[in-house]
Amino acid sequence: MTPPTRPVMAAFNADQAPTYDDRFAQMSAIRDMMHLVARAEFARLPADARILIAGAGTGAEVRTLAAVFPEMRFALIDPSGPMLDVARTHAETEGFASRCSFHIGYVEDVDETGFDGATSLLVSHFLTDAAGRTAYFRSIAGRLVPGAPLFNADLCADRSDTGFPRLLETWLNMTALTGMTAEGRAHYANTFGQDFAVHGPSEVEGMLENAGFARPVQCLQAGLIRGWMTAKV
């Protein structure tokens, strides 16, 4: 996996990690939608399934899944130590730390295999190079058992679509609810496709297939965030 750029990593450092979740509280409904999809899909897995959490951050989805599935085990992988520290604190406070392993680094750095499912939520869009993004998906596929589900969600839009400017406007209005200033929203719009990938939905789906997954099915869209379910071939 190609490491994210420095500006991206700065958003996940020791100064930012403790308040990261609070900054997006006004958009928590989207987070909850993603967690609902993961919960519904993983309900069919064995009770003691092992789940790979790529780009785990503060472990938000694990907090949901661990509470619902009391025997599941989780491998949380993230290049930001401070973000994983927050995830570990949550796990210890909420009583599921014994079912978690924490790995500072990238999926490709983890030797464990045989996972029964995986999530990658708002991670791969930081990889702006198509080859690097496909390699990231391939690193996940290589650690799953055949048939294991993957729920992937990212910022994604077809910028050639005539409706894209209106969609972007709506998204920027949503980000204003998080406290993002007008200047910040203007910068976000101007740099969309630089800090975040510009690949359209069909391109992302093709990357997943090329990485060893079945044809992805889009199951979620909220503003610029799209989510797909797929499975290791």
Side-chain angles (χ1 to χ4, degrees):
M1 172 179 169
T2 303
T5 60
R6 286 184 179 178
V8 169
M9 286 304 297
F12 308 126
N13 63 25
D15 293 330
Q16 303 296 326
T19 60
Y20 182 81
D21 292 327
D22 294 338
R23 296 204 306 277
F24 298 99
Q26 293 298 323
M27 297 177 73
S28 62
I30 298 177
R31 176 202 65 199
D32 293 344
M33 287 174 60
M34 293 190 291
H35 294 178
L36 177 62
V37 172
R39 176 179 171 181
E41 290 294 325
F42 292 168
R44 62 186 176 84
L45 295 177
D48 61 349
R50 297 171 59 235
I51 307 297
L52 184 155
I53 309 294
T58 60
E61 65 261 48
V62 180
R63 298 174 70 185
T64 295
L65 295 172
V68 176
F69 304 113
E71 296 179 50
M72 277 190 179
R73 293 165 291 162
F74 307 92
L76 289 77
I77 307 165
D78 199 280
S80 171
M83 295 288 276
L84 277 184
D85 286 342
V86 174
R88 188 190 304 271
T89 297
H90 285 314
E92 291 171 348
T93 300
E94 296 167 25
F96 59 87
S98 63
R99 293 189 280 135
C100 297
S101 59
F102 300 87
H103 308 266
I104 300 175
Y106 301 97
V107 176
E108 65 187 23
D109 301 323
V110 175
D111 293 331
E112 293 180 56
T113 58
F115 288 96
D116 302 296
T119 65
S120 175
L121 303 185
L122 309 183
V123 179
S124 85
H125 59 220
F126 290 121
L127 300 170
T128 56
D129 175 73
R133 199 170 184 181
T134 302
Y136 163 73
F137 288 136
R138 188 174 294 116
S139 70
I140 296 174
R143 285 154 181 80
L144 302 179
V145 299
L150 166 68
F151 177 38
N152 177 74
D154 285 303
L155 290 168
C156 180
D158 181 357
R159 298 200 302 171
S160 67
D161 190 285
T162 56
F164 173 72
R166 186 66 184 88
L167 177 60
L168 179 60
E169 180 183 358
T170 298
W171 181 252
L172 293 174
N173 291 339
M174 294 168 69
T175 63
L177 299 177
T178 70
M180 185 181 288
T181 65
E183 181 182 4
R185 297 195 300 277
H187 176 76
Y188 187 104
N190 291 333
T191 60
F192 190 80
Q194 298 175 30
D195 291 342
F196 307 109
V198 296
H199 307 117
S202 62
E203 293 176 288
V204 175
E205 292 165 8
M207 292 174 197
L208 285 162
E209 289 190 81
N210 289 337
F213 288 99
R215 181 180 179 275
V217 175
Q218 184 178 321
C219 57
L220 177 150
Q221 181 172 358
L224 290 182
I225 294 176
R226 295 179 188 242
W228 296 265
M229 284 305 310
T230 183
K232 163 75 176 289
V233 175

